[in-house]
Amino acid sequence: MSSASQFANRRSQMTSAWRFLRGFIENPGHVASVLPSSSALLSRLRDLKCLRDSEFVIELGPGTGETTQALLESMPAKSRLLSIELVPEFAVHLREMVIDPRLHVVQGNALKLTELSALHRELAPDAVISGVPFSHFSDEQANRLVRSVRVCLKPGGTFVAYQFRNDVRDHADELFGRPQVTAVPLNIPPLSIFEWSKPASTSKEMARSDWSLSRNHGAIGNKY
Ligand SMILES: C[S@@+](CC[C@H](N)C(=O)[O-])C[C@H]1O[C@@H](n2cnc3c(N)ncnc32)[C@H](O)[C@@H]1O
């Protein structure tokens, strides 16, 4: 890399870090961290197996785009990524910083996942990768979100959440079973990556169970 592009790269990282900090000061509950994710987390995200042959992935809480870029680096050339970000300034920044024809950024609430993904007429995702802070959601919101993820995922799809705390497990384990857990001690603060799989079965029983999840918990039925 030339020194001019190294300088430009460093400048854009500083701009992102500054925007992230400002986003945290203005929306501490939603952003939940003063720094964007570390290179240690980004390299773990790039290694996720579920990205390799994916056609369609949904990212929840991309922030200023460091994680978005990492996911795109491991996704196939013909895949698509839908990134849903609540904070409007982050969504604007992300559209400017990550220029990639595979990426579609939506400024919206991950709690409306089913409506947003259906609105965009996408395929069922191979993976949902989430950085939204489950510890700041009420029990009802956290349950609604994990149920929407489970309903919208492809059979055999993967739900990934990287979190500072374990709260997400109180909601997701009940639906998906035990996750694979990877510690990322070098992130500041240290965090864990949880990975759950939706069974690959396409049986009627499974379709019925997903439909009843969506009816009983207020999500819209699976439109995929
Ligand atoms: C811990 S930060 C992670 C940011 C980025 N992925 C990273 O790792 O650097 C959490 C992100 O989730 C976003 N967020 C929080 N609640 C959200 C919601 N309900 N819907 C969409 N995004 C949300 C925040 O604005 C913030 O960008």
Side-chain angles (χ1 to χ4, degrees):
M1 199 189 281
S2 72
S3 57
S5 58
Q6 270 176 348
F7 178 72
N9 200 10
R10 207 169 165 74
R11 223 180 121 195
S12 83
Q13 280 171 356
M14 284 173 64
T15 312
S16 272
W18 169 241
R19 289 225 185 180
F20 199 90
L21 176 62
R22 211 171 58 190
F24 171 76
I25 293 166
E26 287 166 10
N27 314 273
H30 298 315
V31 178
S33 169
V34 292
L35 290 171
S37 289
S38 64
S39 55
L41 173 65
L42 300 181
S43 110
R44 292 290 188 179
L45 293 180
R46 280 189 207 96
D47 288 345
L48 287 171
K49 281 204 195 85
C50 57
L51 300 176
R52 301 252 169 82
D53 300 315
S54 58
E55 286 180 306
F56 177 45
V57 174
I58 297 182
E59 180 184 25
L60 307 178
T64 46
E66 287 74 9
T67 46
T68 312
Q69 187 66 58
L71 301 181
L72 286 166
E73 282 166 24
S74 291
M75 288 171 59
K78 289 204 170 151
S79 57
R80 284 181 293 159
L81 176 64
L82 171 65
S83 292
I84 301 172
E85 171 54 52
L86 186 64
V87 173
E89 295 75 22
F90 285 173
V92 169
H93 179 77
L94 179 54
R95 287 191 193 106
E96 287 167 359
M97 293 300 289
V98 186
I99 310 291
D100 189 311
R102 295 171 296 168
L103 174 65
H104 186 84
V105 179
V106 172
Q107 191 269 310
N109 194 333
L111 297 172
K112 300 204 168 155
L113 173 65
T114 316
E115 293 93 322
L116 285 172
S117 49
L119 203 67
H120 285 266
R121 295 179 196 282
E122 301 285 4
L123 302 161
D126 302 277
V128 174
I129 317 284
S130 174
V132 299
F134 273 82
S135 50
H136 288 273
F137 291 149
S138 66
D139 281 350
E140 186 277 323
Q141 289 173 326
N143 277 328
R144 178 150 44 102
L145 182 52
V146 292
R147 283 178 159 80
S148 305
V149 170
R150 161 99 190 199
V151 168
C152 84
L153 271 176
K154 230 179 214 178
T158 310
F159 174 37
V160 178
Y162 52 93
Q163 300 280 298
F164 304 126
R165 296 172 49 172
N166 286 349
D167 303 58
V168 62
R169 288 196 62 181
D170 297 341
H171 309 280
D173 284 14
E174 194 189 325
L175 282 185
F176 289 93
R178 286 174 75 82
Q180 181 182 317
V181 185
T182 307
V184 189
L186 295 182
N187 196 72
I188 305 172
L191 50 67
S192 301
I193 302 175
F194 303 102
E195 290 176 64
W196 294 267
S197 298
K198 176 168 169 171
S201 156
T202 53
S203 69
K204 282 187 187 154
E205 194 182 316
M206 171 128 153
R208 265 205 307 278
S209 79
D210 276 355
W211 169 240
S212 86
L213 279 176
S214 68
R215 267 196 343 178
N216 294 339
H217 298 282
I220 291 176
N222 190 358
K223 298 198 172 168
Y224 301 113

